[in-house]
Amino acid sequence: MKLITAVVKPHRLDEIKEALQAFGVHGLTVTEASGYGRQRGHTEVYRGAEYTVDLVPKIRIEVLVEDEDAEQLIEVVVKAARTGKIGDGKVWSVPVDTAVRVRTGERGPDAL
Amino acid sequence: MPPGITTLAADAPELSAANTGFMLICSALVMLMTPGLAFFYGGMVRVKSTLNMLMMSFISLGIVTVLWVLYGFSLAFGADVGSVVGWSGDYVGLSGIGVTELWDGYTIPVYVFAAFQLMFAVLTPALISGALADRVKFTAWALFIVLWVTVVYFPVAHWVWGTGGWLFEMGVIDFAGGTAVHINAGAAALGVILVIGKRVGFKKDPMRPHSLPLVMLGAALLWFGWFGFNAGSWLGNDDGVGAVMFLNTQVATAAAVLGWLVYEKLRHGSFTTLGAASGAVAGLVAITPAGGSVSPLGALAIGVIAGVLCAMAVGLKYKFGYDDSLDVIGVHLVGGVIGSVLVGFFATGGVQSDAAGLFYGGGVEQLGKQVVGVVAVLAYSLVVSALLALAIHRTIGMRVSEDDEVSGIDQVEHAETAYDFSGTGGGSVARTTAPAPAPTAAPKAKKVDA
């Protein structure tokens, strides 16, 4: 199994969710996150005082998939998340040893 | 406050139901300004000190009201003692005042005048609190209010508005409180922060306003309440002057909003909501002393000037390194000075009094008086406020500890937090408070909610 993690622009969430559903993903986890990459932050001005806001709001989407689906799913997420502008985010995958469905105790791919 | 309407003894004023009703409404409007100010300031601080900022204003409603009844009204508006303070035994405890007794020379009861002026006394110390954000012990602040209104606000109100008060008798024009309220509070703020110093992290840490909608709401409530503050200060509507003041209040405030916004667009690149809200308050402050003596075009000029100059003035704290946290000096002191001095230029001589300013052929006489009023109130409030803060600082201490300030004054001083950020799950375990221990004996009587 693989854990696909995507840190992307918050307003792409709905697109990504729909794309994943169309792909056949049954569940995902979304977390509000903040951070920066090449985009860095932005500047805000309050009564003339400038503040550099380094950490910009992002969302982190996590999906568990079987190994053979991983590459395709990454492509789906990247396509749905892309705006072409700086700050679109990153998607990566890591191997997962095991997963357990809490209600039934099913393990491995059956738990997905 | 206008010079008393001169009346012949045989032609003594009678109680006017219209004026009395109007003044009661104005008093309620001015009362609303203090919570409005609390929101204006409360939105501008960081999340961790929101409640403290709200409470610094709100507590003034409690403290000053009590003091006003006990002796404040007497000190401010009692019979003149040496041109510097008032005192009338009848006003102590507001106990010797007849229900139908009229305020001398006017058509409203003394009680109504006392209620109206009370709201001013409540608002003024609350204005100071904006400079002291995040760092002042609540007990120290409460004690400061008690001392400050007693030795600064009540006497200065007498100087400016009390019959026999030295600035009043000199002919300084301060319709609704440019000197007595705004310069007074702004200078006090400067005096106190010179004693207590900066917030931890000033100029280093970002100190963004946590809720600009709250700031906007506060500014809107202030603007609304200010109609009572300004138009009510004529104490009646028999000659149209109060109506001129009402209109000028709107005109100057609108102009100041535009002045501030255009300045910051040119200087910093954006029209900000904080700029719009701040411009409104700057305009309201500046027209406060002036609105009863200028034309609508004069009010417009005063508003634009105040909007631009206050927008410039709020940057000074970074240059000079004093932490006027929410710009009480930049907006109230500077705005108050602008309005009070501009009376000397823009007074038409045809509204509140026949004293004309420089632009209306009156020469520099009124301007000179205005400058005296500004300097006197500024200097007295600055020095005495600094001394009061120093006395408190040396005894019980003005500031919370550095740790408490950094972790957030709300939890330390008020045992509360402004917002629950624990999400939809009802709070995490770490945040859940243990239930209070069960009482050892069953309560004698159960209170049943209907």
Short mmCIF file of all heavy atoms in Angstrom, two decimals, chain B residues 368-424:
data_model
loop_
_atom_site.label_atom_id
_atom_site.label_comp_id
_atom_site.label_asym_id
_atom_site.label_seq_id
_atom_site.Cartn_x
_atom_site.Cartn_y
_atom_site.Cartn_z
N GLY B 368 -5.15 81.93 18.67
CA GLY B 368 -4.31 81.99 19.87
C GLY B 368 -4.96 81.30 21.05
O GLY B 368 -4.33 80.53 21.78
N LYS B 369 -6.25 81.56 21.22
CA LYS B 369 -6.99 80.93 22.33
C LYS B 369 -7.01 79.42 22.18
O LYS B 369 -6.84 78.67 23.14
CB LYS B 369 -8.43 81.45 22.38
CG LYS B 369 -8.55 82.90 22.82
CD LYS B 369 -10.01 83.34 22.73
CE LYS B 369 -10.15 84.82 23.08
NZ LYS B 369 -11.53 85.29 22.87
N GLN B 370 -7.22 78.99 20.94
CA GLN B 370 -7.28 77.54 20.69
C GLN B 370 -5.95 76.89 21.04
O GLN B 370 -5.91 75.80 21.63
CB GLN B 370 -7.63 77.27 19.22
CG GLN B 370 -9.01 77.74 18.79
CD GLN B 370 -10.13 77.16 19.62
OE1 GLN B 370 -10.81 77.86 20.36
NE2 GLN B 370 -10.31 75.84 19.52
N VAL B 371 -4.85 77.56 20.65
CA VAL B 371 -3.53 77.00 20.92
C VAL B 371 -3.29 76.90 22.44
O VAL B 371 -2.77 75.91 22.94
CB VAL B 371 -2.43 77.82 20.23
CG1 VAL B 371 -1.04 77.39 20.69
CG2 VAL B 371 -2.54 77.68 18.72
N VAL B 372 -3.72 77.93 23.16
CA VAL B 372 -3.58 77.89 24.62
C VAL B 372 -4.34 76.70 25.19
O VAL B 372 -3.83 75.95 26.03
CB VAL B 372 -4.09 79.21 25.26
CG1 VAL B 372 -4.16 79.06 26.78
CG2 VAL B 372 -3.18 80.36 24.88
N GLY B 373 -5.57 76.50 24.71
CA GLY B 373 -6.37 75.37 25.19
C GLY B 373 -5.70 74.04 24.91
O GLY B 373 -5.62 73.17 25.79
N VAL B 374 -5.18 73.90 23.70
CA VAL B 374 -4.52 72.65 23.30
C VAL B 374 -3.30 72.39 24.18
O VAL B 374 -3.14 71.30 24.75
CB VAL B 374 -4.08 72.72 21.81
CG1 VAL B 374 -3.07 71.63 21.49
CG2 VAL B 374 -5.29 72.63 20.90
N VAL B 375 -2.44 73.39 24.31
CA VAL B 375 -1.19 73.21 25.05
C VAL B 375 -1.47 72.94 26.53
O VAL B 375 -0.85 72.06 27.14
CB VAL B 375 -0.27 74.45 24.88
CG1 VAL B 375 0.93 74.36 25.80
CG2 VAL B 375 0.16 74.56 23.42
N ALA B 376 -2.42 73.66 27.10
CA ALA B 376 -2.70 73.51 28.52
C ALA B 376 -3.18 72.10 28.84
O ALA B 376 -2.67 71.44 29.74
CB ALA B 376 -3.77 74.53 28.94
N VAL B 377 -4.17 71.62 28.07
CA VAL B 377 -4.72 70.29 28.35
C VAL B 377 -3.69 69.22 28.06
O VAL B 377 -3.51 68.27 28.84
CB VAL B 377 -6.01 70.05 27.53
CG1 VAL B 377 -6.50 68.62 27.71
CG2 VAL B 377 -7.08 71.04 27.94
N LEU B 378 -2.97 69.38 26.95
CA LEU B 378 -1.97 68.38 26.56
C LEU B 378 -0.89 68.26 27.65
O LEU B 378 -0.58 67.16 28.12
CB LEU B 378 -1.34 68.80 25.23
CG LEU B 378 -0.64 67.74 24.38
CD1 LEU B 378 -0.41 68.26 22.97
CD2 LEU B 378 0.68 67.27 24.95
N ALA B 379 -0.37 69.40 28.08
CA ALA B 379 0.74 69.37 29.04
C ALA B 379 0.27 68.83 30.39
O ALA B 379 0.93 67.97 30.99
CB ALA B 379 1.30 70.78 29.20
N TYR B 380 -0.87 69.31 30.86
CA TYR B 380 -1.35 68.86 32.17
C TYR B 380 -1.62 67.36 32.17
O TYR B 380 -1.18 66.63 33.05
CB TYR B 380 -2.63 69.63 32.54
CG TYR B 380 -3.21 69.21 33.87
CD1 TYR B 380 -2.63 69.63 35.07
CD2 TYR B 380 -4.35 68.41 33.94
CE1 TYR B 380 -3.15 69.24 36.30
CE2 TYR B 380 -4.89 68.02 35.16
CZ TYR B 380 -4.29 68.44 36.34
OH TYR B 380 -4.81 68.05 37.54
N SER B 381 -2.33 66.90 31.14
CA SER B 381 -2.68 65.48 31.10
C SER B 381 -1.44 64.61 30.95
O SER B 381 -1.31 63.56 31.60
CB SER B 381 -3.65 65.23 29.94
OG SER B 381 -3.96 63.86 29.86
N LEU B 382 -0.52 65.03 30.10
CA LEU B 382 0.71 64.26 29.87
C LEU B 382 1.49 64.07 31.17
O LEU B 382 1.84 62.95 31.56
CB LEU B 382 1.58 64.97 28.83
CG LEU B 382 2.95 64.36 28.53
CD1 LEU B 382 2.79 63.01 27.85
CD2 LEU B 382 3.79 65.28 27.66
N VAL B 383 1.71 65.18 31.87
CA VAL B 383 2.55 65.13 33.07
C VAL B 383 1.85 64.38 34.20
O VAL B 383 2.42 63.46 34.81
CB VAL B 383 2.92 66.57 33.52
CG1 VAL B 383 3.62 66.54 34.88
CG2 VAL B 383 3.80 67.23 32.47
N VAL B 384 0.60 64.74 34.46
CA VAL B 384 -0.09 64.12 35.60
C VAL B 384 -0.35 62.63 35.34
O VAL B 384 -0.20 61.81 36.24
CB VAL B 384 -1.40 64.88 35.92
CG1 VAL B 384 -2.15 64.19 37.05
CG2 VAL B 384 -1.10 66.32 36.28
N SER B 385 -0.69 62.28 34.11
CA SER B 385 -0.93 60.87 33.79
C SER B 385 0.34 60.04 33.95
O SER B 385 0.31 58.92 34.46
CB SER B 385 -1.44 60.73 32.35
OG SER B 385 -2.58 61.50 32.16
N ALA B 386 1.47 60.62 33.54
CA ALA B 386 2.74 59.91 33.70
C ALA B 386 3.04 59.71 35.18
O ALA B 386 3.48 58.63 35.59
CB ALA B 386 3.86 60.69 33.02
N LEU B 387 2.77 60.73 35.98
CA LEU B 387 3.04 60.61 37.43
C LEU B 387 2.13 59.56 38.07
O LEU B 387 2.58 58.78 38.91
CB LEU B 387 2.85 61.98 38.11
CG LEU B 387 3.89 63.05 37.76
CD1 LEU B 387 3.53 64.39 38.39
CD2 LEU B 387 5.29 62.60 38.20
N LEU B 388 0.86 59.55 37.67
CA LEU B 388 -0.06 58.56 38.22
C LEU B 388 0.39 57.14 37.84
O LEU B 388 0.40 56.23 38.68
CB LEU B 388 -1.48 58.79 37.69
CG LEU B 388 -2.19 60.06 38.16
CD1 LEU B 388 -3.54 60.19 37.47
CD2 LEU B 388 -2.36 60.06 39.66
N ALA B 389 0.76 56.98 36.57
CA ALA B 389 1.21 55.66 36.12
C ALA B 389 2.47 55.25 36.87
O ALA B 389 2.62 54.09 37.28
CB ALA B 389 1.47 55.68 34.62
N LEU B 390 3.34 56.21 37.10
CA LEU B 390 4.59 55.93 37.81
C LEU B 390 4.30 55.49 39.24
O LEU B 390 4.89 54.52 39.75
CB LEU B 390 5.48 57.18 37.80
CG LEU B 390 6.93 56.97 38.23
CD1 LEU B 390 7.64 56.05 37.25
CD2 LEU B 390 7.65 58.31 38.31
N ALA B 391 3.38 56.18 39.89
CA ALA B 391 3.03 55.83 41.27
C ALA B 391 2.48 54.41 41.34
O ALA B 391 2.85 53.62 42.22
CB ALA B 391 2.00 56.83 41.81
N ILE B 392 1.62 54.05 40.39
CA ILE B 392 1.05 52.69 40.39
C ILE B 392 2.13 51.68 40.04
O ILE B 392 2.22 50.61 40.64
CB ILE B 392 -0.12 52.60 39.39
CG1 ILE B 392 -1.26 53.55 39.81
CG2 ILE B 392 -0.65 51.17 39.32
CD1 ILE B 392 -2.37 53.66 38.80
N HIS B 393 2.97 52.06 39.07
CA HIS B 393 4.02 51.15 38.61
C HIS B 393 4.99 50.82 39.74
O HIS B 393 5.45 49.70 39.88
CB HIS B 393 4.77 51.81 37.45
CG HIS B 393 5.48 50.84 36.57
ND1 HIS B 393 4.91 49.66 36.14
CD2 HIS B 393 6.73 50.85 36.02
CE1 HIS B 393 5.77 49.01 35.39
NE2 HIS B 393 6.88 49.70 35.31
N ARG B 394 5.29 51.81 40.58
CA ARG B 394 6.24 51.63 41.67
C ARG B 394 5.62 50.89 42.86
O ARG B 394 6.33 50.39 43.72
CB ARG B 394 6.74 52.99 42.17
CG ARG B 394 7.66 53.70 41.21
CD ARG B 394 9.11 53.22 41.39
NE ARG B 394 9.96 53.62 40.27
CZ ARG B 394 10.51 54.82 40.17
NH1 ARG B 394 10.33 55.74 41.10
NH2 ARG B 394 11.28 55.10 39.12
N THR B 395 4.30 50.85 42.94
CA THR B 395 3.65 50.19 44.08
C THR B 395 3.14 48.81 43.67
O THR B 395 3.81 47.81 43.91
CB THR B 395 2.51 51.07 44.64
OG1 THR B 395 1.66 51.48 43.57
CG2 THR B 395 3.08 52.28 45.35
N ILE B 396 1.97 48.75 43.06
CA ILE B 396 1.43 47.42 42.72
C ILE B 396 1.93 46.93 41.36
O ILE B 396 1.74 45.77 41.01
CB ILE B 396 -0.12 47.39 42.74
CG1 ILE B 396 -0.70 48.31 41.68
CG2 ILE B 396 -0.64 47.78 44.13
CD1 ILE B 396 -2.21 48.15 41.51
N GLY B 397 2.57 47.82 40.60
CA GLY B 397 3.07 47.40 39.28
C GLY B 397 2.00 47.56 38.22
O GLY B 397 0.85 47.18 38.42
N MET B 398 2.37 48.16 37.09
CA MET B 398 1.40 48.37 36.01
C MET B 398 1.30 47.16 35.08
O MET B 398 0.28 46.92 34.47
CB MET B 398 1.80 49.59 35.16
CG MET B 398 1.47 50.94 35.75
SD MET B 398 -0.30 51.32 35.82
CE MET B 398 -0.68 51.77 34.13
N ARG B 399 2.42 46.40 34.98
CA ARG B 399 2.45 45.38 33.92
C ARG B 399 2.35 43.96 34.44
O ARG B 399 2.81 43.65 35.53
CB ARG B 399 3.75 45.52 33.11
CG ARG B 399 3.79 46.79 32.29
CD ARG B 399 5.01 46.83 31.41
NE ARG B 399 4.99 45.82 30.34
CZ ARG B 399 5.54 46.00 29.16
NH1 ARG B 399 6.13 47.14 28.87
NH2 ARG B 399 5.51 45.04 28.25
N VAL B 400 1.78 43.10 33.62
CA VAL B 400 1.81 41.67 33.90
C VAL B 400 3.23 41.18 33.58
O VAL B 400 4.00 41.88 32.93
CB VAL B 400 0.78 40.89 33.05
CG1 VAL B 400 -0.63 41.31 33.42
CG2 VAL B 400 1.03 41.07 31.57
N SER B 401 3.56 39.98 34.06
CA SER B 401 4.91 39.47 33.81
C SER B 401 5.10 39.21 32.32
O SER B 401 4.13 39.05 31.57
CB SER B 401 5.13 38.18 34.59
OG SER B 401 4.42 37.13 33.96
N GLU B 402 6.35 39.15 31.92
CA GLU B 402 6.65 38.96 30.51
C GLU B 402 6.07 37.63 30.00
O GLU B 402 5.50 37.56 28.91
CB GLU B 402 8.16 38.99 30.30
CG GLU B 402 8.55 39.21 28.86
CD GLU B 402 10.05 39.39 28.68
OE1 GLU B 402 10.65 40.15 29.47
OE2 GLU B 402 10.60 38.76 27.77
N ASP B 403 6.19 36.59 30.83
CA ASP B 403 5.63 35.29 30.46
C ASP B 403 4.13 35.38 30.22
O ASP B 403 3.60 34.84 29.25
CB ASP B 403 5.89 34.26 31.57
CG ASP B 403 7.28 33.68 31.46
OD1 ASP B 403 7.98 34.01 30.48
OD2 ASP B 403 7.68 32.92 32.37
N ASP B 404 3.46 36.04 31.16
CA ASP B 404 2.00 36.17 31.05
C ASP B 404 1.61 36.97 29.82
O ASP B 404 0.63 36.67 29.14
CB ASP B 404 1.43 36.83 32.30
CG ASP B 404 1.49 35.89 33.51
OD1 ASP B 404 1.73 34.68 33.30
OD2 ASP B 404 1.31 36.36 34.63
N GLU B 405 2.39 38.00 29.53
CA GLU B 405 2.09 38.82 28.36
C GLU B 405 2.25 38.01 27.08
O GLU B 405 1.41 38.10 26.17
CB GLU B 405 3.03 40.03 28.35
CG GLU B 405 2.69 41.01 27.24
CD GLU B 405 3.68 42.17 27.18
OE1 GLU B 405 4.19 42.58 28.25
OE2 GLU B 405 3.94 42.64 26.06
N VAL B 406 3.29 37.21 27.03
CA VAL B 406 3.54 36.43 25.82
C VAL B 406 2.50 35.32 25.66
O VAL B 406 1.98 35.08 24.58
CB VAL B 406 4.97 35.84 25.84
CG1 VAL B 406 5.16 34.85 24.70
CG2 VAL B 406 6.00 36.96 25.75
N SER B 407 2.18 34.66 26.78
CA SER B 407 1.21 33.56 26.66
C SER B 407 -0.21 34.10 26.45
O SER B 407 -1.07 33.40 25.92
CB SER B 407 1.27 32.65 27.88
OG SER B 407 0.84 33.35 29.02
N GLY B 408 -0.46 35.33 26.84
CA GLY B 408 -1.77 35.94 26.58
C GLY B 408 -2.43 36.43 27.85
O GLY B 408 -2.66 35.67 28.78
N ILE B 409 -2.76 37.72 27.87
CA ILE B 409 -3.28 38.35 29.08
C ILE B 409 -4.71 37.91 29.39
O ILE B 409 -5.15 37.94 30.54
CB ILE B 409 -3.18 39.90 28.95
CG1 ILE B 409 -3.39 40.57 30.31
CG2 ILE B 409 -4.15 40.43 27.90
CD1 ILE B 409 -3.03 42.04 30.32
N ASP B 410 -5.45 37.44 28.38
CA ASP B 410 -6.84 37.05 28.63
C ASP B 410 -6.93 35.93 29.66
O ASP B 410 -7.73 35.99 30.60
CB ASP B 410 -7.52 36.58 27.34
CG ASP B 410 -7.90 37.74 26.44
OD1 ASP B 410 -7.65 38.90 26.84
OD2 ASP B 410 -8.45 37.49 25.35
N GLN B 411 -6.13 34.90 29.45
CA GLN B 411 -6.19 33.76 30.37
C GLN B 411 -5.68 34.15 31.75
O GLN B 411 -6.22 33.73 32.76
CB GLN B 411 -5.36 32.60 29.82
CG GLN B 411 -6.06 31.89 28.69
CD GLN B 411 -5.30 30.67 28.20
OE1 GLN B 411 -4.16 30.46 28.56
NE2 GLN B 411 -5.96 29.88 27.39
N VAL B 412 -4.64 34.97 31.79
CA VAL B 412 -4.01 35.32 33.06
C VAL B 412 -4.89 36.24 33.89
O VAL B 412 -5.11 36.02 35.08
CB VAL B 412 -2.66 36.02 32.79
CG1 VAL B 412 -2.05 36.49 34.09
CG2 VAL B 412 -1.72 35.08 32.06
N GLU B 413 -5.43 37.27 33.27
CA GLU B 413 -6.18 38.27 34.03
C GLU B 413 -7.67 37.98 34.11
O GLU B 413 -8.34 38.43 35.02
CB GLU B 413 -5.97 39.65 33.39
CG GLU B 413 -4.57 40.20 33.57
CD GLU B 413 -4.31 40.66 35.00
OE1 GLU B 413 -4.93 41.63 35.44
OE2 GLU B 413 -3.49 40.01 35.69
N HIS B 414 -8.20 37.25 33.15
CA HIS B 414 -9.66 37.07 33.13
C HIS B 414 -10.10 35.61 33.15
O HIS B 414 -11.29 35.33 33.19
CB HIS B 414 -10.25 37.77 31.90
CG HIS B 414 -9.86 39.21 31.81
ND1 HIS B 414 -10.32 40.16 32.69
CD2 HIS B 414 -9.02 39.87 30.97
CE1 HIS B 414 -9.79 41.35 32.38
NE2 HIS B 414 -8.99 41.18 31.34
N ALA B 415 -9.12 34.69 33.10
CA ALA B 415 -9.45 33.26 33.13
C ALA B 415 -10.44 32.86 32.03
O ALA B 415 -11.34 32.05 32.23
CB ALA B 415 -9.99 32.84 34.49
N GLU B 416 -10.27 33.49 30.86
CA GLU B 416 -11.15 33.21 29.72
C GLU B 416 -10.34 33.32 28.43
O GLU B 416 -9.28 33.95 28.43
CB GLU B 416 -12.28 34.25 29.63
CG GLU B 416 -13.25 34.26 30.79
CD GLU B 416 -14.15 35.47 30.73
OE1 GLU B 416 -13.64 36.61 30.66
OE2 GLU B 416 -15.37 35.29 30.75
N THR B 417 -10.88 32.74 27.38
CA THR B 417 -10.33 33.02 26.05
C THR B 417 -11.46 33.48 25.16
O THR B 417 -12.61 33.06 25.33
CB THR B 417 -9.67 31.77 25.43
OG1 THR B 417 -10.50 30.65 25.69
CG2 THR B 417 -8.30 31.53 26.03
N ALA B 418 -11.13 34.35 24.20
CA ALA B 418 -12.17 35.00 23.41
C ALA B 418 -12.91 34.03 22.50
O ALA B 418 -14.11 34.13 22.32
CB ALA B 418 -11.56 36.13 22.58
N TYR B 419 -12.18 33.09 21.91
CA TYR B 419 -12.80 32.22 20.92
C TYR B 419 -12.43 30.77 21.21
O TYR B 419 -11.33 30.50 21.68
CB TYR B 419 -12.32 32.58 19.51
CG TYR B 419 -12.50 34.04 19.16
CD1 TYR B 419 -11.45 34.93 19.29
CD2 TYR B 419 -13.74 34.52 18.74
CE1 TYR B 419 -11.61 36.28 18.99
CE2 TYR B 419 -13.90 35.86 18.44
CZ TYR B 419 -12.83 36.74 18.56
OH TYR B 419 -13.01 38.05 18.26
N ASP B 420 -13.34 29.87 20.91
CA ASP B 420 -13.06 28.44 21.03
C ASP B 420 -12.61 27.93 19.67
O ASP B 420 -13.40 27.89 18.73
CB ASP B 420 -14.33 27.72 21.48
CG ASP B 420 -14.09 26.24 21.70
OD1 ASP B 420 -12.96 25.79 21.44
OD2 ASP B 420 -15.02 25.57 22.14
N PHE B 421 -11.33 27.59 19.58
CA PHE B 421 -10.79 27.13 18.30
C PHE B 421 -10.71 25.62 18.23
O PHE B 421 -10.00 25.06 17.41
CB PHE B 421 -9.38 27.70 18.08
CG PHE B 421 -9.38 29.16 17.79
CD1 PHE B 421 -8.67 30.04 18.59
CD2 PHE B 421 -10.09 29.66 16.72
CE1 PHE B 421 -8.67 31.40 18.32
CE2 PHE B 421 -10.09 31.02 16.45
CZ PHE B 421 -9.38 31.89 17.25
N SER B 422 -11.42 24.93 19.10
CA SER B 422 -11.21 23.49 19.20
C SER B 422 -11.92 22.71 18.10
O SER B 422 -11.89 21.50 18.08
CB SER B 422 -11.65 22.99 20.56
OG SER B 422 -12.98 23.36 20.79
N GLY B 423 -12.60 23.40 17.20
CA GLY B 423 -13.17 22.71 16.05
C GLY B 423 -14.53 22.12 16.34
O GLY B 423 -15.20 22.48 17.29
N THR B 424 -14.91 21.16 15.50
CA THR B 424 -16.27 20.66 15.57
C THR B 424 -16.43 19.52 16.56
O THR B 424 -17.52 19.08 16.85
CB THR B 424 -16.70 20.13 14.20
OG1 THR B 424 -15.71 19.21 13.75
CG2 THR B 424 -16.85 21.25 13.21
#
